[in-house]
Amino acid sequence: MERLQKVLAQAGVASRRKCEELISQGRVQVNGVTVSEAGTKVDPAQDVILVDGKAIQREAFVYLLLHKPTGVITSLHDPQGRRVVTDLLSGVKERVYPVGRLDYDTSGLLLLTNDGELANRIAHPSFEIDKVYQAWVKGVPTSERVRMLAEGVQLTDGLTAPGQARLLTTDPPGRRSLLELTIHEGRNRQVRRMCEAIGHPVESLKRVRLGFLTLDGLSPGQYRHLTSQELARLRRELSASARRFGG
Ligand code: URA
């Protein structure tokens, strides 16, 4: 939800100050009701907002794929002044939000969009979009431990849902191992906690895939827009899984 004068200003109606005046003059309607109080919260994606009887221009939807480097916060502002993901989106004037989050010290694929509905569907575990992570962990997990990661690990907030896990390599033999985990949930620090729970703490973590989207061609810190083909495929896959799961 956003403040009405901000939504009006972002839609190019006028400056924020001027928009406050329009509101107090009773010239703005939200879902058929005149709103004369600036600061009223609205949902720019859902609410029908009119100024002098004319619908405001909706901001175009944008879909960005960022290769998040480590050392950046997945948030729009940081009170401590650390770098945030939107600092990396030079040239993007739309206000986009991250879909899910990656920890400060996690790198990899992060989708950002101003399309709240699509974002919710991707983030929701019931849609079963694969989130694939590669984690360097301490030591060498036995195949039994790797199987536990795939089948479900007991964490303080409950058992993890089934996914996939495999050991890719060890380097140098015995000191650390590279695991690949595919999960569908997005609990706080989930992969780190899962690896910790099997006795192999994460040394570094990267998300390498989200559904069919990969980081191909993007260096850390770079972003690109999704192509219209990718967007269509993403929507198709989300609808197919909604049908499968009755969503
Ligand atoms: N799991 C984690 O532990 N951290 C992330 O950033 C993402 C998934």
Side-chain angles (χ1 to χ4, degrees):
M1 300 292 274
E2 301 250 29
R3 291 159 79 84
L4 180 55
Q5 62 269 40
K6 186 169 167 196
V7 172
L8 294 174
Q10 276 172 352
V13 171
S15 69
R16 208 178 285 192
R17 176 76 52 79
K18 184 86 179 66
C19 290
E20 287 173 4
E21 285 173 27
L22 294 174
I23 297 167
S24 57
Q25 288 162 3
R27 293 166 62 184
V28 179
Q29 285 194 326
V30 178
N31 301 328
V33 177
T34 300
V35 171
S36 50
E37 212 165 298
T40 301
K41 294 283 179 81
V42 295
D43 178 349
Q46 303 288 337
D47 292 331
V48 177
I49 304 171
L50 310 181
V51 177
D52 292 336
K54 265 183 53 190
I56 64 168
Q57 196 108 66
R58 277 199 195 291
E59 194 174 68
F61 284 146
V62 286
Y63 306 89
L64 306 173
L65 202 156
L66 171 71
H67 186 161
K68 176 194 172 297
T70 56
V72 179
I73 306 272
T74 306
S75 148
L76 305 181
H77 301 285
D78 180 47
Q80 295 171 44
R82 290 170 296 184
R83 269 207 311 171
V84 295
V85 282
T86 45
D87 291 340
L88 299 168
L89 306 179
S90 56
V92 176
K93 62 179 185 350
E94 293 84 359
R95 190 180 166 82
V96 291
Y97 300 85
V99 178
R101 61 190 300 281
L102 294 178
D103 301 330
Y104 182 72
D105 42 3
T106 298
S107 64
L109 192 157
L110 185 68
L111 206 58
L112 298 109
T113 181
N114 51 356
D115 179 345
E117 189 174 336
L118 189 94
N120 286 341
R121 300 175 77 172
I122 293 172
H124 201 281
S126 67
F127 284 95
E128 298 243 315
I129 293 284
D130 286 349
K131 298 173 181 119
V132 184
Y133 294 88
Q134 288 186 356
W136 280 104
V137 299
K138 285 211 170 75
V140 186
T142 59
S143 49
E144 171 61 20
R145 300 262 156 131
V146 175
R147 199 160 54 80
M148 281 168 66
L149 287 176
E151 290 179 354
V153 176
Q154 190 65 48
L155 301 178
T156 49
D157 52 359
L159 193 65
T160 60
Q164 290 152 33
R166 59 191 180 124
L167 181 72
L168 296 181
T169 184
T170 62
D171 160 53
R175 199 192 75 70
R176 63 176 193 158
S177 312
L178 184 62
L179 291 176
E180 187 172 87
L181 270 84
T182 303
I183 62 174
H184 304 116
E185 301 171 293
R187 302 192 212 170
N188 191 31
R189 295 181 78 82
Q190 179 165 344
V191 173
R192 290 174 196 276
R193 290 190 293 137
M194 289 170 75
C195 294
E196 181 86 43
I198 61 151
H200 294 276
V202 167
E203 291 186 344
S204 69
L205 181 61
K206 181 176 185 178
R207 179 151 71 190
V208 295
R209 185 160 70 75
L210 181 69
F212 62 88
L213 297 167
T214 68
L215 286 168
D216 284 357
L218 288 178
S219 312
Q222 288 188 324
Y223 76 90
R224 67 173 179 84
H225 289 260
L226 293 194
T227 64
S228 49
Q229 287 88 346
E230 286 171 330
L231 187 57
R233 179 166 170 196
L234 196 54
R235 289 191 188 288
R236 257 199 325 273
E237 293 190 0
L238 286 167
S239 316
S241 75
R243 273 198 300 279
R244 254 197 330 276
F245 296 101

